[in-house]
Coordinates of all heavy atoms in Angstrom, one line a residue:
M126 N -9.5 -0.2 2.2 CA -8.7 -1.3 1.7 C -7.3 -1.2 2.3 O -6.8 -0.1 2.5 CB -8.6 -1.4 0.2 CG -7.3 -1.4 -0.4 SD -7.2 -1.9 -2.0 CE -8.7 -2.6 -2.4
E127 N -6.6 -2.3 2.6 CA -5.3 -2.3 3.2 C -4.3 -2.5 2.1 O -4.4 -3.5 1.4 CB -5.2 -3.3 4.3 CG -3.9 -3.3 5.0 CD -3.8 -4.3 6.1 OE1 -3.6 -5.5 5.8 OE2 -3.9 -3.9 7.3
V128 N -3.2 -1.7 2.1 CA -2.1 -1.9 1.2 C -0.8 -2.0 2.0 O -0.6 -1.1 2.8 CB -2.1 -0.7 0.2 CG1 -0.9 -0.9 -0.8 CG2 -3.4 -0.6 -0.6
K129 N -0.1 -3.0 1.7 CA 1.2 -3.2 2.4 C 2.3 -3.0 1.3 O 2.2 -3.6 0.2 CB 1.4 -4.6 3.0 CG 0.4 -4.8 4.2 CD 0.6 -6.1 4.8 CE -0.4 -6.4 5.9 NZ -0.3 -7.7 6.5
I130 N 3.3 -2.2 1.6 CA 4.4 -1.9 0.6 C 5.7 -2.3 1.3 O 6.1 -1.8 2.3 CB 4.4 -0.4 0.3 CG1 3.0 0.1 -0.3 CG2 5.5 -0.1 -0.7 CD1 2.9 1.6 -0.4
G131 N 6.4 -3.2 0.6 CA 7.7 -3.6 1.1 C 8.7 -2.8 0.4 O 8.7 -2.6 -0.9
V132 N 9.7 -2.2 1.1 CA 10.7 -1.4 0.6 C 12.1 -2.2 0.8 O 12.3 -2.6 1.9 CB 10.8 0.0 1.2 CG1 11.9 0.8 0.6 CG2 9.4 0.7 1.1
Q133 N 12.9 -2.2 -0.2 CA 14.2 -2.9 -0.1 C 15.0 -2.3 1.0 O 15.1 -1.0 1.1 CB 14.9 -2.8 -1.5 CG 14.3 -3.6 -2.6 CD 15.0 -3.5 -3.9 OE1 16.1 -2.9 -3.9 NE2 14.4 -3.9 -4.9
H134 N 15.7 -3.1 1.7 CA 16.7 -2.7 2.8 C 16.0 -1.9 3.9 O 16.6 -1.1 4.6 CB 17.8 -1.8 2.2 CG 18.5 -2.5 1.0 ND1 19.2 -3.7 1.1 CD2 18.5 -2.2 -0.3 CE1 19.7 -4.0 0.0 NE2 19.3 -3.1 -0.9
A135 N 14.7 -2.1 4.1 CA 13.9 -1.5 5.2 C 13.4 -2.6 6.0 O 12.9 -3.6 5.5 CB 12.8 -0.6 4.6
P136 N 13.6 -2.5 7.3 CA 13.2 -3.6 8.2 C 11.7 -3.8 8.4 O 11.2 -4.8 8.7 CB 13.8 -3.2 9.6 CG 14.0 -1.7 9.5 CD 14.2 -1.4 8.1
R137 N 10.9 -2.7 8.1 CA 9.5 -2.8 8.2 C 8.8 -2.4 6.9 O 9.3 -1.7 6.1 CB 9.0 -1.8 9.3 CG 9.5 -2.2 10.7 CD 9.1 -1.3 11.8 NE 7.7 -0.9 11.7 CZ 7.1 0.1 12.4 NH1 7.9 0.7 13.3 NH2 5.9 0.4 12.2
E138 N 7.6 -3.0 6.8 CA 6.8 -2.6 5.6 C 5.9 -1.4 5.9 O 5.6 -1.1 7.1 CB 5.9 -3.8 5.2 CG 4.9 -4.2 6.3 CD 4.2 -5.6 6.0 OE1 4.6 -6.2 5.0 OE2 3.3 -5.9 6.7
L139 N 5.4 -0.7 4.9 CA 4.5 0.4 5.0 C 3.1 -0.2 4.9 O 2.8 -0.9 4.0 CB 4.8 1.4 4.0 CG 6.2 2.0 3.9 CD1 6.3 2.9 2.6 CD2 6.4 2.9 5.1
V140 N 2.2 0.2 5.9 CA 0.9 -0.3 5.8 C -0.1 0.9 5.8 O 0.0 1.8 6.6 CB 0.5 -1.2 7.1 CG1 -0.9 -1.7 7.0 CG2 1.5 -2.3 7.2
L141 N -0.9 0.9 4.8 CA -1.8 2.1 4.5 C -3.2 1.6 4.4 O -3.5 0.5 3.9 CB -1.5 2.8 3.2 CG -0.1 3.3 3.1 CD1 0.1 3.8 1.6 CD2 0.2 4.5 4.0
E142 N -4.2 2.4 4.9 CA -5.6 2.2 4.6 C -6.0 3.2 3.6 O -5.8 4.4 3.9 CB -6.4 2.3 5.9 CG -6.2 1.3 7.0 CD -6.7 -0.1 6.6 OE1 -7.7 -0.1 5.8 OE2 -6.2 -1.1 7.0
C143 N -6.5 2.8 2.5 CA -6.9 3.8 1.5 C -8.3 3.5 0.9 O -8.7 2.3 1.0 CB -5.9 3.9 0.4 SG -5.8 2.5 -0.7
G144 N -9.0 4.5 0.4 CA -10.3 4.3 -0.1 C -10.3 3.9 -1.6 O -11.4 3.7 -2.1
E145 N -9.2 3.7 -2.2 CA -9.2 3.3 -3.6 C -9.5 1.8 -3.8 O -9.2 1.1 -2.9 CB -7.8 3.6 -4.2 CG -7.5 5.1 -4.2 CD -6.1 5.4 -4.9 OE1 -5.8 4.7 -5.8 OE2 -5.5 6.4 -4.4
S146 N -9.9 1.5 -5.0 CA -10.2 0.0 -5.2 C -8.9 -0.7 -5.5 O -7.9 -0.1 -5.8 CB -11.1 -0.1 -6.4 OG -10.5 0.3 -7.6
S147 N -8.9 -2.0 -5.4 CA -7.7 -2.8 -5.7 C -7.3 -2.6 -7.1 O -6.1 -2.6 -7.4 CB -8.0 -4.3 -5.3 OG -9.0 -4.8 -6.1
Q148 N -8.2 -2.5 -8.0 CA -7.9 -2.3 -9.4 C -7.1 -1.0 -9.6 O -6.2 -0.9 -10.4 CB -9.1 -2.3 -10.3 CG -9.8 -3.7 -10.4 CD -10.8 -3.9 -9.3 OE1 -11.1 -3.0 -8.5 NE2 -11.2 -5.1 -9.2
D149 N -7.6 0.1 -8.9 CA -6.9 1.4 -9.1 C -5.5 1.4 -8.5 O -4.6 1.9 -9.1 CB -7.7 2.5 -8.3 CG -9.0 2.8 -9.0 OD1 -9.2 2.5 -10.2 OD2 -9.9 3.4 -8.3
V150 N -5.3 0.7 -7.4 CA -4.0 0.6 -6.8 C -3.1 -0.3 -7.7 O -1.9 0.1 -8.0 CB -4.0 -0.1 -5.4 CG1 -2.6 -0.3 -4.9 CG2 -4.8 0.8 -4.4
A151 N -3.6 -1.4 -8.3 CA -2.8 -2.2 -9.2 C -2.4 -1.4 -10.4 O -1.3 -1.5 -10.9 CB -3.6 -3.4 -9.6
K152 N -3.3 -0.6 -11.0 CA -3.0 0.2 -12.1 C -1.9 1.3 -11.8 O -1.1 1.5 -12.7 CB -4.3 0.9 -12.6 CG -5.3 0.0 -13.4 CD -6.5 0.8 -13.8 CE -7.5 -0.1 -14.4 NZ -8.8 0.6 -14.7
A153 N -2.0 1.9 -10.6 CA -1.0 2.8 -10.2 C 0.4 2.2 -10.1 O 1.4 2.8 -10.5 CB -1.4 3.5 -8.9
V154 N 0.4 1.0 -9.6 CA 1.7 0.2 -9.5 C 2.2 -0.1 -10.9 O 3.4 0.1 -11.2 CB 1.5 -1.1 -8.7 CG1 2.8 -1.9 -8.7 CG2 1.2 -0.7 -7.2
D155 N 1.4 -0.6 -11.7 CA 1.8 -1.0 -13.1 C 2.3 0.3 -13.9 O 3.3 0.2 -14.6 CB 0.6 -1.6 -13.9 CG 0.2 -3.0 -13.4 OD1 1.1 -3.6 -12.8 OD2 -0.9 -3.4 -13.7
K156 N 1.6 1.4 -13.7 CA 2.0 2.6 -14.4 C 3.4 3.1 -13.9 O 4.2 3.4 -14.7 CB 1.0 3.7 -14.2 CG 1.3 5.0 -14.9 CD 0.3 6.1 -14.6 CE 0.7 7.4 -15.3 NZ -0.2 8.5 -14.9
A157 N 3.6 3.1 -12.6 CA 4.9 3.5 -12.1 C 6.0 2.6 -12.5 O 7.1 3.0 -12.8 CB 4.8 3.5 -10.5
L158 N 5.7 1.2 -12.5 CA 6.7 0.3 -13.0 C 7.1 0.5 -14.4 O 8.2 0.4 -14.8 CB 6.3 -1.1 -12.7 CG 6.3 -1.6 -11.3 CD1 5.6 -2.9 -11.1 CD2 7.7 -1.6 -10.7
S159 N 6.1 0.7 -15.3 CA 6.3 0.8 -16.7 C 7.1 2.1 -17.0 O 7.9 2.2 -18.0 CB 5.0 0.8 -17.5 OG 4.2 1.9 -17.2
E160 N 6.8 3.2 -16.2 CA 7.5 4.5 -16.5 C 8.8 4.5 -15.8 O 9.6 5.4 -16.0 CB 6.6 5.6 -16.0 CG 5.3 5.8 -16.8 CD 4.4 6.9 -16.2 OE1 4.7 7.4 -15.1 OE2 3.4 7.2 -16.8
G161 N 9.1 3.6 -14.8 CA 10.3 3.7 -14.0 C 10.4 4.9 -13.1 O 11.4 5.4 -12.8
S162 N 9.2 5.3 -12.6 CA 9.1 6.5 -11.8 C 8.9 6.2 -10.4 O 9.5 5.4 -9.8 CB 8.0 7.5 -12.4 OG 6.8 6.8 -12.3
V163 N 8.0 6.9 -9.7 CA 7.7 6.8 -8.3 C 6.3 6.3 -8.1 O 5.4 6.8 -8.8 CB 7.9 8.2 -7.6 CG1 7.4 8.2 -6.2 CG2 9.3 8.7 -7.8
F164 N 6.1 5.3 -7.2 CA 4.8 4.8 -6.9 C 4.3 5.7 -5.7 O 5.0 5.9 -4.7 CB 4.9 3.4 -6.4 CG 3.6 2.9 -5.8 CD1 2.4 2.9 -6.6 CD2 3.5 2.5 -4.5 CE1 1.2 2.4 -6.1 CE2 2.3 2.0 -4.0 CZ 1.2 2.0 -4.8
S165 N 3.1 6.3 -5.9 CA 2.5 7.3 -5.0 C 1.1 6.8 -4.6 O 0.4 6.4 -5.5 CB 2.5 8.6 -5.6 OG 1.9 9.5 -4.8
L166 N 0.8 6.9 -3.3 CA -0.5 6.5 -2.8 C -0.8 7.4 -1.7 O 0.0 7.7 -0.8 CB -0.4 5.0 -2.4 CG -1.8 4.4 -2.0 CD1 -2.7 4.3 -3.3 CD2 -1.5 3.0 -1.5
T167 N -2.1 7.8 -1.6 CA -2.6 8.7 -0.5 C -3.5 7.8 0.4 O -4.4 7.2 -0.1 CB -3.3 9.9 -1.1 OG1 -2.5 10.6 -1.9 CG2 -3.8 10.8 0.1
D168 N -3.3 7.9 1.7 CA -4.1 7.1 2.6 C -5.4 7.8 3.0 O -5.6 8.9 2.6 CB -3.3 6.6 3.8 CG -3.0 7.8 4.8 OD1 -3.3 8.9 4.5 OD2 -2.3 7.5 5.8
D169 N -6.2 7.2 3.9 CA -7.5 7.8 4.3 C -7.3 9.1 5.1 O -8.2 9.9 5.2 CB -8.2 6.8 5.2 CG -8.8 5.6 4.3 OD1 -8.9 5.8 3.1 OD2 -9.2 4.6 4.9
R170 N -6.1 9.3 5.7 CA -5.9 10.5 6.5 C -5.3 11.6 5.7 O -5.0 12.7 6.2 CB -4.9 10.1 7.6 CG -5.5 9.2 8.6 CD -4.5 8.9 9.7 NE -5.0 7.9 10.6 CZ -4.4 7.4 11.7 NH1 -3.1 7.9 11.9 NH2 -4.9 6.5 12.5
G171 N -5.1 11.4 4.4 CA -4.6 12.4 3.5 C -3.1 12.4 3.4 O -2.5 13.3 2.8
R172 N -2.4 11.5 4.0 CA -1.0 11.4 3.9 C -0.6 10.7 2.6 O -1.2 9.7 2.3 CB -0.4 10.6 5.1 CG -0.6 11.3 6.4 CD -0.1 10.6 7.6 NE -0.8 9.3 7.7 CZ -0.7 8.4 8.7 NH1 0.2 8.6 9.6 NH2 -1.4 7.3 8.7
R173 N 0.5 11.2 2.0 CA 0.9 10.7 0.7 C 2.2 9.9 1.0 O 3.2 10.5 1.5 CB 1.1 11.8 -0.3 CG 1.5 11.3 -1.6 CD 1.6 12.4 -2.6 NE 0.8 12.0 -3.8 CZ 0.6 12.7 -4.8 NH1 1.0 13.9 -4.8 NH2 0.0 12.2 -5.8
V174 N 2.3 8.7 0.4 CA 3.5 7.9 0.5 C 4.0 7.8 -0.9 O 3.3 7.4 -1.8 CB 3.2 6.5 1.1 CG1 4.4 5.6 1.0 CG2 2.7 6.7 2.5
M175 N 5.3 8.1 -1.1 CA 6.0 8.0 -2.4 C 7.2 7.1 -2.3 O 8.0 7.3 -1.4 CB 6.3 9.4 -2.9 CG 5.1 10.3 -3.0 SD 5.6 12.0 -3.4 CE 6.0 11.8 -5.1
V176 N 7.3 6.1 -3.1 CA 8.4 5.1 -3.1 C 9.0 5.0 -4.5 O 8.2 4.7 -5.4 CB 8.0 3.7 -2.6 CG1 9.2 2.8 -2.5 CG2 7.3 3.9 -1.2
P177 N 10.3 5.2 -4.7 CA 10.8 5.0 -6.0 C 10.7 3.5 -6.4 O 10.9 2.6 -5.6 CB 12.3 5.3 -5.9 CG 12.4 6.1 -4.6 CD 11.3 5.7 -3.8
V178 N 10.3 3.2 -7.6 CA 10.0 1.9 -8.0 C 11.2 1.0 -8.0 O 11.1 -0.2 -7.8 CB 9.3 1.8 -9.4 CG1 7.9 2.4 -9.4 CG2 10.1 2.4 -10.5
D179 N 12.4 1.5 -8.1 CA 13.6 0.7 -8.0 C 13.9 0.2 -6.6 O 14.7 -0.7 -6.4 CB 14.8 1.4 -8.6 CG 15.2 2.7 -7.9 OD1 14.3 3.3 -7.3 OD2 16.3 3.1 -8.0
K180 N 13.1 0.8 -5.6 CA 13.3 0.3 -4.2 C 12.1 -0.5 -3.7 O 12.1 -1.0 -2.6 CB 13.4 1.6 -3.3 CG 14.6 2.4 -3.6 CD 15.9 1.7 -3.4 CE 17.1 2.5 -3.7 NZ 18.3 1.8 -3.7
L181 N 11.1 -0.7 -4.6 CA 9.9 -1.5 -4.2 C 10.4 -3.0 -4.1 O 11.0 -3.5 -5.1 CB 8.8 -1.4 -5.3 CG 7.9 -0.2 -5.2 CD1 6.9 -0.3 -6.3 CD2 7.2 -0.1 -3.9
A182 N 10.0 -3.7 -3.0 CA 10.2 -5.1 -2.9 C 8.9 -5.8 -3.3 O 8.9 -6.8 -4.0 CB 10.6 -5.5 -1.5
Y183 N 7.8 -5.3 -2.8 CA 6.5 -5.9 -3.1 C 5.4 -4.9 -2.7 O 5.6 -4.0 -2.0 CB 6.2 -7.2 -2.4 CG 6.2 -7.1 -0.9 CD1 5.0 -6.8 -0.2 CD2 7.3 -7.2 -0.2 CE1 5.0 -6.7 1.2 CE2 7.3 -7.1 1.2 CZ 6.2 -6.9 1.9 OH 6.1 -6.8 3.2
V184 N 4.2 -5.1 -3.3 CA 3.0 -4.3 -2.9 C 1.9 -5.4 -2.8 O 1.5 -6.1 -3.7 CB 2.6 -3.3 -4.0 CG1 1.3 -2.6 -3.6 CG2 3.7 -2.3 -4.2
E185 N 1.4 -5.5 -1.6 CA 0.3 -6.4 -1.2 C -1.0 -5.7 -1.1 O -1.1 -4.7 -0.3 CB 0.6 -7.1 0.1 CG -0.4 -8.2 0.5 CD 0.0 -8.9 1.8 OE1 1.2 -9.2 1.9 OE2 -0.9 -9.1 2.6
I186 N -2.0 -6.0 -1.9 CA -3.3 -5.3 -2.0 C -4.3 -6.3 -1.4 O -4.5 -7.4 -1.9 CB -3.7 -4.9 -3.4 CG1 -2.5 -4.1 -4.0 CG2 -5.0 -4.2 -3.4 CD1 -2.7 -3.9 -5.5
G187 N -5.0 -5.8 -0.3 CA -6.0 -6.7 0.3 C -7.2 -5.9 0.8 O -7.1 -4.7 1.0
E188 N -8.3 -6.6 1.0 CA -9.5 -5.9 1.5 C -9.3 -5.7 3.0 O -8.6 -6.4 3.7 CB -10.7 -6.8 1.3 CG -11.0 -7.0 -0.2 CD -11.4 -5.7 -0.9 OE1 -12.0 -4.8 -0.3 OE2 -10.9 -5.6 -2.1
Q189 N -10.0 -4.6 3.5 CA -9.9 -4.3 4.9 C -10.6 -5.4 5.7 O -11.7 -5.9 5.4 CB -10.6 -3.0 5.2 CG -10.5 -2.5 6.6 CD -11.0 -1.1 6.8 OE1 -11.5 -0.5 5.9 NE2 -11.0 -0.7 8.0
E190 N -9.9 -5.9 6.7 CA -10.4 -6.9 7.6 C -11.3 -6.4 8.7 O -10.9 -5.4 9.4 CB -9.2 -7.7 8.2 CG -9.7 -8.9 9.0 CD -8.4 -9.6 9.6 OE1 -7.4 -9.7 8.9 OE2 -8.5 -10.0 10.7
V191 N -12.5 -6.9 8.9 CA -13.4 -6.5 9.9 C -13.0 -7.4 11.1 O -13.1 -8.6 11.1 CB -14.8 -6.6 9.5 CG1 -15.7 -6.3 10.7 CG2 -15.1 -5.8 8.3
R192 N -12.6 -6.7 12.2 CA -12.2 -7.5 13.4 C -13.4 -7.5 14.4 O -14.0 -6.5 14.7 CB -11.0 -6.9 14.0 CG -9.8 -6.9 13.1 CD -8.6 -6.3 13.8 NE -7.5 -6.3 12.8 CZ -6.3 -5.8 13.1 NH1 -6.1 -5.2 14.2 NH2 -5.4 -5.8 12.2
G193 N -13.5 -8.7 15.0 CA -14.5 -8.8 16.1 C -14.0 -8.3 17.4 O -12.9 -8.1 17.6
V194 N -15.0 -8.0 18.3 CA -14.6 -7.4 19.6 C -15.0 -8.4 20.6 O -16.1 -9.0 20.6 CB -15.3 -6.0 19.8 CG1 -15.0 -5.5 21.1 CG2 -15.0 -5.1 18.7
G195 N -14.2 -8.5 21.7 CA -14.5 -9.4 22.8 C -14.3 -10.8 22.5 O -13.4 -11.2 21.8
F196 N -15.2 -11.7 23.0 CA -15.0 -13.1 22.9 C -15.4 -13.7 21.5 O -15.1 -14.8 21.2 CB -15.8 -13.9 24.0 CG -15.3 -13.6 25.3 CD1 -16.0 -12.8 26.2 CD2 -14.1 -14.1 25.8 CE1 -15.6 -12.5 27.5 CE2 -13.6 -13.9 27.0 CZ -14.4 -13.1 27.9
T197 N -16.0 -12.9 20.7 CA -16.4 -13.3 19.3 C -15.2 -13.3 18.3 O -15.4 -13.8 17.2 CB -17.5 -12.5 18.8 OG1 -17.1 -11.1 18.7 CG2 -18.7 -12.6 19.7
A198 N -14.1 -12.7 18.8 CA -13.0 -12.5 17.8 C -12.3 -13.9 17.5 O -12.2 -14.8 18.2 CB -11.9 -11.6 18.4

């Protein structure tokens, strides 16, 4: 699944591919927001991204898009 994280005052968004379900990611965002702590997510490569919730602009949760190859795209 693809997760896009917008950070305040940052020109680019963070884009991650992770194996967690959309419900799990949404729960992690809700928990971090309610606690006022840090939103943390680990991608498919094992890299961990941590963003303080007061710097979050948005979190977009979407399914991984299957792209066609060649002329069928």
Side-chain angles (χ1 to χ4, degrees):
M126 127 164 348
E127 183 179 77
V128 179
K129 294 181 183 179
I130 303 169
V132 181
Q133 294 178 9
H134 309 295
R137 294 178 43 187
E138 62 192 8
L139 302 171
V140 180
L141 304 170
E142 292 289 333
C143 70
E145 297 182 33
S146 70
S147 60
Q148 292 86 9
D149 291 340
V150 174
K152 286 179 186 177
V154 172
D155 289 339
K156 180 180 178 187
L158 287 172
S159 67
E160 294 176 353
S162 61
V163 175
F164 172 61
S165 175
L166 189 64
T167 304
D168 70 359
D169 286 342
R170 296 180 182 177
R172 296 179 292 187
R173 181 177 231 176
V174 175
M175 300 173 76
V176 180
V178 292
D179 61 337
K180 299 297 179 189
L181 279 179
Y183 63 89
V184 177
E185 182 179 318
I186 304 168
E188 295 299 321
Q189 184 174 0
E190 181 178 325
V191 178
R192 298 181 181 177
V194 177
F196 293 109
T197 61

